[in-house]
Amino acid sequence: MSLSMMQRRTSQKFYRTTEELTKPEESQLQGTIPNWLSGAFLRTGPGYFDFPDGFTVNHWLDGYAVISKFHVSGQSVKFEKKFFQSEAFKRAKKANKPCVCEYGTRAYSDPSRSWMSRLYNTIIPEFTDNANISIYNVGQNVFVSGETCYFYDLNVSNMTAGHKWDTNRVFGIHCASPHPLTDRNGYTYNIGSSYAPTLKYCFVKIPPTDHTKDPKEVLKKGKVLCTIPSRWNRNIMSYNHSFGLTENYIVFIEQPYVVSLNKILSSVLTKGQSFKDWVEWNPECKNRFYIIDKSSGKVVSNAEFMSEEAFFFVHMINCYEDNGQVVVTLSRYDSPEVLETQDLSILRQGGTDGDETRACGTQYVVPIDVNMSNVLEGANLVKVPSSNATAYKQGSQIILTPDVLTEKGLEFPAINKKFLGRKHRYYYASGLTSLAEYRNAVVKIDMVEKRAICWRDNANQVVGEPVFVPNPDLDYEDAGSEDDGVLICPVTDYREGVSDLIVFIDPKTMKELARAEFKTQIPPSIHGIFVPS
């Protein structure tokens, strides 16, 4: 039987509504992990799709969040999972269908609301607070979020929701990325969007906050460092899931997968729309790269840096400075078609064949050091010897072409966070449901040798996002220690009655250190973190 046929027949377990596990299941490690590895491995992702009356959401990203926690202590791991009690989830449970629109499922009438509230929500589209995308740290605090203006602080011990925050009130912006980044100096940055009075991208900066665990005290110090207007004048702006940092710069890519304010406003008349009805793909616009000074908030070059070909991306891998230029590594798609393949009905029938819609690792180099008046037309401006990326002048623009690092089929990239914004050699990613070179594998990419090393167990499994846990005894000033740590990765088996597991991998060798198996299903998740004890 081919792998494709096998996956088509056995994908129900992977994409079904999961169940809560409030009494932890304990598993003894098979193998040995370092003594310093102790803490909570936290994950969030879609987990509730089907309602008792038979209603099912349309898209995998519409599923309501389930938080999974693996408590690692000594030679055992305890696993528990709970549905995250967002307002959107609680209202949907009462109505037996979504009352706030999700990515691919429209909002239905909320019987618990007054007629005035229901009328207001037909005029002003309501954003979901379904926190099914990301878990992250800001200082000592752990937050969980989706991709709108709402985020929650998370009580790690009991996996419950703390205060619900709104970026409109906290930072004065209408939505924010689920991937804030904290640099080596303790400053946290994030990117958001503002829709009024004009369309603009907003960059938030939060000073170091390690002295306090009060989320309010942490967040109130955040300020908008700078804004950049949308380059389009027809009420559209780029979708932004992630961005990059170097030692001195913020890296922002304005991509041609755009949110249309006109479509959002027209949904008042058409009704029955979801987020995916408000976005469009305009590949003729290409991608524009902005490099922003982290201190002043100013764009550092007057040159207009544009991609030669349009691309869609969700995750930047890392950025750093080399020879006065900025290296940008990301997981690149040819188009956002991959989002269409995540319709729940397609996934439950086995998904789509081939890796054509999947991402590959690519690297761009932005020559911020060039003086446009002294540049010859068509000359390659890249001065980074390890990269095959190019940059050349074409009229008033600098056109960027990528160095392709991998085959297609990799997503959920991870690095040793001690090298965030610094020159590095390796990154790690998941083969997910790739049917080619990386299928069923956790993959280490050597960007210098352009070589992949894989860990895989068997063809019936799907591996999730790997998380790199640094060795706390190292300062990582030596680049040779970059891959010293432990990778942790959730693994879900397609087969009914077969245990799921989390695996601990040595990043240097990509050999398995240990595993913990569980009879209870480990739900597929999107992002997670490790919180040391």
Side-chain angles (χ1 to χ4, degrees):
M1 182 185 301
S2 72
L3 177 64
S4 175
M5 291 175 61
M6 178 174 61
Q7 288 179 330
R8 285 184 180 281
R9 291 177 58 182
T10 58
S11 59
Q12 284 293 326
K13 175 186 174 184
F14 193 70
Y15 295 109
R16 73 187 180 200
T17 290
T18 193
E19 67 283 345
E20 289 192 304
L21 179 64
T22 54
K23 181 180 179 181
E25 179 184 348
E26 185 171 4
S27 173
Q28 296 300 309
L29 283 175
Q30 302 172 34
T32 304
I33 59 175
N35 292 331
W36 53 259
L37 188 62
S38 177
F41 181 44
L42 299 168
R43 313 283 307 162
T44 188
Y48 192 100
F49 309 100
D50 308 289
F51 292 85
D53 67 350
F55 184 91
T56 296
V57 297
N58 296 329
H59 198 276
W60 185 61
L61 294 176
D62 300 337
Y64 292 96
V66 60
I67 306 293
S68 299
K69 181 172 78 170
F70 303 88
H71 187 262
V72 182
S73 179
Q75 288 299 302
S76 71
V77 180
K78 292 181 180 179
F79 169 43
E80 54 188 311
K81 52 181 173 172
K82 292 181 181 179
F83 292 120
F84 188 76
Q85 298 297 312
S86 64
E87 292 299 317
F89 178 59
K90 289 186 284 189
R91 289 167 60 186
K93 286 278 284 182
K94 288 182 180 179
N96 273 318
K97 53 180 65 71
C99 299
V100 182
C101 82
E102 300 292 339
Y103 176 80
T105 303
R106 74 174 180 91
Y108 293 81
S109 179
D110 185 349
S112 68
R113 294 292 178 98
S114 68
W115 71 268
M116 183 64 74
S117 294
R118 295 199 299 270
L119 176 62
Y120 178 81
N121 289 336
T122 63
I123 299 172
I124 306 297
E126 191 175 1
F127 283 168
T128 183
D129 64 345
N130 181 15
N132 67 353
I133 299 294
S134 186
I135 299 181
Y136 51 84
N137 295 101
V138 179
Q140 298 182 51
N141 296 275
V142 177
F143 296 94
V144 60
S145 77
E147 291 196 279
T148 66
C149 57
Y150 298 116
F151 61 105
Y152 287 84
D153 44 85
L154 179 69
N155 186 321
V156 174
S157 61
N158 60 18
M159 301 157 61
T160 57
H163 186 78
K164 177 180 174 179
W165 302 94
D166 183 344
T167 59
N168 290 277
R169 297 181 179 223
V170 178
F171 306 123
I173 60 178
H174 294 124
C175 65
S177 153
H179 289 293
L181 298 174
T182 301
D183 68 14
R184 298 175 75 187
N185 298 316
Y187 288 89
T188 299
Y189 299 81
N190 204 1
I191 179 175
S193 300
S194 180
Y195 306 129
T198 59
L199 301 182
K200 56 190 176 185
Y201 311 104
C202 306
F203 300 85
V204 173
K205 184 177 183 179
I206 304 173
T209 54
D210 285 341
H211 65 284
T212 177
K213 289 187 177 181
D214 182 355
K216 184 177 180 180
E217 291 299 312
V218 171
L219 296 172
K220 77 177 186 180
K221 295 182 179 181
K223 305 294 181 184
V224 174
L225 172 67
C226 65
T227 63
I228 292 178
S230 168
R231 64 180 146 130
W232 299 288
N233 58 6
R234 57 182 192 275
N235 286 334
I236 61 175
M237 65 189 311
S238 172
Y239 162 78
N240 304 305
H241 184 85
S242 65
F243 65 104
L245 288 182
T246 72
E247 294 278 13
N248 296 293
Y249 306 118
I250 300 168
V251 179
F252 165 56
I253 301 176
E254 188 179 33
Q255 62 178 328
Y257 185 59
V258 297
V259 180
S260 169
L261 190 61
N262 289 341
K263 288 187 175 182
I264 294 176
L265 296 176
S266 69
S267 68
V268 174
L269 301 176
T270 58
K271 305 290 174 54
Q273 290 193 347
S274 59
F275 179 82
K276 74 174 186 177
D277 298 308
W278 304 337
V279 291
E280 57 192 39
W281 174 238
N282 298 326
E284 70 281 0
C285 295
K286 310 298 174 59
N287 301 63
R288 183 170 181 178
F289 291 65
Y290 290 90
I291 311 298
I292 303 158
D293 187 284
K294 286 164 59 176
S295 298
S296 68
K298 295 181 179 179
V299 176
V300 300
S301 174
N302 292 326
E304 188 175 332
F305 300 106
M306 303 293 297
S307 64
E308 185 176 66
E309 295 182 352
F311 63 88
F312 169 69
F313 79 101
V314 181
H315 297 118
M316 280 201 198
I317 298 168
N318 198 20
C319 303
Y320 60 89
E321 298 160 41
D322 194 352
N323 276 349
Q325 302 185 333
V326 176
V327 179
V328 181
T329 311
L330 52 84
S331 292
R332 178 189 186 275
Y333 295 89
D334 294 334
S335 77
E337 183 184 353
V338 64
L339 296 174
E340 298 300 320
T341 69
Q342 303 304 300
D343 278 2
L344 203 56
S345 60
I346 296 175
L347 294 173
R348 287 179 169 178
Q349 294 172 16
T352 56
D353 291 334
D355 284 0
E356 292 81 10
T357 63
R358 294 175 170 87
C360 62
T362 55
Q363 190 174 87
Y364 291 85
V365 177
V366 185
I368 58 172
D369 58 335
V370 301
N371 183 334
M372 288 292 284
S373 61
N374 298 329
V375 174
L376 294 176
E377 193 95 1
N380 185 11
L381 305 173
V382 171
K383 299 188 299 187
V384 177
S386 62
S387 181
N388 292 323
T390 69
Y392 60 92
K393 180 180 177 181
Q394 186 178 83
S396 61
Q397 298 178 333
I398 301 294
I399 307 299
L400 309 179
T401 68
D403 184 3
V404 179
L405 304 172
T406 74
E407 301 294 329
K408 289 185 176 181
L410 287 179
E411 247 296 3
F412 296 125
I415 63 166
N416 180 345
K417 288 291 182 67
K418 298 293 184 179
F419 285 81
L420 176 69
R422 297 169 56 194
K423 187 173 182 177
H424 67 119
R425 178 168 181 166
Y426 307 110
Y427 79 90
Y428 310 86
S430 167
L432 295 172
T433 52
S434 168
L435 300 179
E437 179 180 355
Y438 309 122
R439 66 181 182 271
N440 316 103
V442 183
V443 184
K444 176 183 184 179
I445 297 298
D446 183 330
M447 295 184 290
V448 174
E449 296 187 2
K450 292 186 172 57
R451 184 169 64 98
I453 307 173
C454 298
W455 172 93
R456 61 166 55 90
D457 193 16
N458 67 66
N460 300 291
Q461 296 170 335
V462 174
V463 297
E465 173 197 52
V467 169
F468 190 106
V469 184
N471 184 336
D473 298 326
L474 297 178
D475 60 15
Y476 290 101
E477 291 303 318
D478 175 15
S481 63
E482 179 189 341
D483 54 357
D484 193 327
V486 174
L487 286 175
I488 310 179
C489 188
V491 181
T492 300
D493 199 295
Y494 277 121
R495 296 168 294 181
E496 296 289 348
V498 179
S499 295
D500 296 340
L501 59 109
I502 61 169
V503 63
F504 301 84
I505 300 169
D506 181 351
K508 281 188 176 294
T509 63
M510 293 304 289
K511 300 293 185 183
E512 182 175 324
L513 295 171
R515 66 173 59 193
E517 296 184 349
F518 299 95
K519 296 178 181 178
T520 308
Q521 183 221 18
I522 297 176
S525 51
I526 296 182
H527 291 301
I529 58 171
F530 185 81
V531 180
S533 295

